[in-house]
């Protein structure tokens, strides 16, 4: 489900993250291949969605306008631990009501784990996200199927 209806009847927007493919990932070093990186990314994308949801819910009045992109550079040590995370580019301005997302994403990604390797690797990749608000009819109880 992309959104829910809260106990107070308010529609709560839900985050969508555009799928990441190998063609969007830049890799330096060959100890960790792109497919291994994407496997870890896909396992962790739900945590990123939670970060976006948490921050946007604080300002649900602006949620329908919210979308953005963060490009990260991630250095992975030979131990498989993330050694360094840098925000290479972000469309979320520092003075935006959603500016905390940048640091929250950076912090979350810094805890990702990868397989051990000989030399590690560095990856650059985008996270593109947007919020979806439902049409009012999506919660309309009159659309239930009747038995024949």
């Amino acid at each position: 489900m992309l959104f829910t209806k809260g106990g107070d009847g308010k529609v709560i927007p839900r985050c969508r993250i555009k799928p990441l493919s190998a063609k969007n990932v830049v890799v330096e070093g060959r100890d960790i291949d792109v497919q291994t990186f994407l496997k870890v990314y896909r396992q962790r994308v739900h945590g990123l969605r939670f970060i976006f949801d948490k921050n946007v819910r604080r300002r649900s009045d602006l949620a329908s306008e919210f979308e953005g992109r963060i490009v990260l550079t991630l250095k992975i040590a030979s131990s498989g631990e993330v050694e360094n995370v840098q925000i290479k580019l972000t469309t979320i301005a520092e003075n935006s009501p959603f500016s905390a997302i940048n640091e929250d994403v950076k912090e979350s990604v810094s805890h990702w784990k990868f397989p051990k390797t000989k030399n590690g690797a560095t990856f650059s990749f985008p996270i593109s996200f947007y919020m979806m608000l439902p049409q009012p009819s999506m919660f309309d109880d009159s659309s239930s199927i009747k038995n024949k």
Side-chain angles (χ1 to χ4, degrees), residues 24-26 37 41 48 69-75 84-90 101-103 105-110 112 122-127:
N24 300 111
V25 178
V26 177
F37 172 82
Y41 174 86
L48 297 176
R69 181 179 170 141
I70 300 173
V71 179
L72 296 174
T73 298
L74 179 67
K75 185 173 182 183
N84 188 14
V85 180
Q86 292 186 346
I87 297 174
K88 195 172 179 180
L89 171 84
T90 182
I101 290 173
N102 290 322
E103 286 305 313
V105 166
K106 187 176 171 182
E107 174 67 22
S108 177
V109 170
S110 73
W112 290 4
T122 301
F123 292 90
S124 292
F125 61 100
I127 303 169

Side-chain angles (χ1 to χ4, degrees), residues 4-129:
T4 59
K5 193 170 185 179
D8 60 358
K10 283 188 174 180
V11 175
I12 302 169
R14 299 297 299 197
C15 177
R16 295 288 306 216
I17 297 177
K18 294 180 183 173
L20 184 62
S21 68
K23 70 179 183 175
N24 300 111
V25 178
V26 177
V27 61
E28 296 174 27
R30 297 288 176 213
D31 277 3
I32 301 174
D33 67 11
V34 174
Q35 293 309 315
T36 301
F37 172 82
L38 287 173
K39 181 179 178 183
V40 173
Y41 174 86
R42 289 179 184 125
Q43 291 170 343
R44 306 285 187 230
V45 76
H46 299 293
L48 297 176
R49 189 174 296 121
F50 174 78
I51 290 168
F52 299 130
D53 282 343
K54 174 185 77 166
N55 282 281
V56 173
R57 282 187 184 147
R58 293 180 192 152
R59 290 300 309 266
S60 62
D61 57 319
L62 301 174
S64 63
E65 302 168 18
F66 181 69
E67 65 179 75
R69 181 179 170 141
I70 300 173
V71 179
L72 296 174
T73 298
L74 179 67
K75 185 173 182 183
I76 302 165
S78 59
S79 66
E81 303 220 355
V82 174
E83 203 171 81
N84 188 14
V85 180
Q86 292 186 346
I87 297 174
K88 195 172 179 180
L89 171 84
T90 182
T91 61
I92 305 171
E94 286 184 31
N95 60 354
S96 161
F98 306 113
S99 62
I101 290 173
N102 290 322
E103 286 305 313
D104 288 354
V105 166
K106 187 176 171 182
E107 174 67 22
S108 177
V109 170
S110 73
H111 297 288
W112 290 4
K113 303 284 186 230
F114 292 85
K116 291 182 180 181
T117 67
K118 185 175 180 181
N119 297 312
T122 301
F123 292 90
S124 292
F125 61 100
I127 303 169
S128 300
F129 47 90

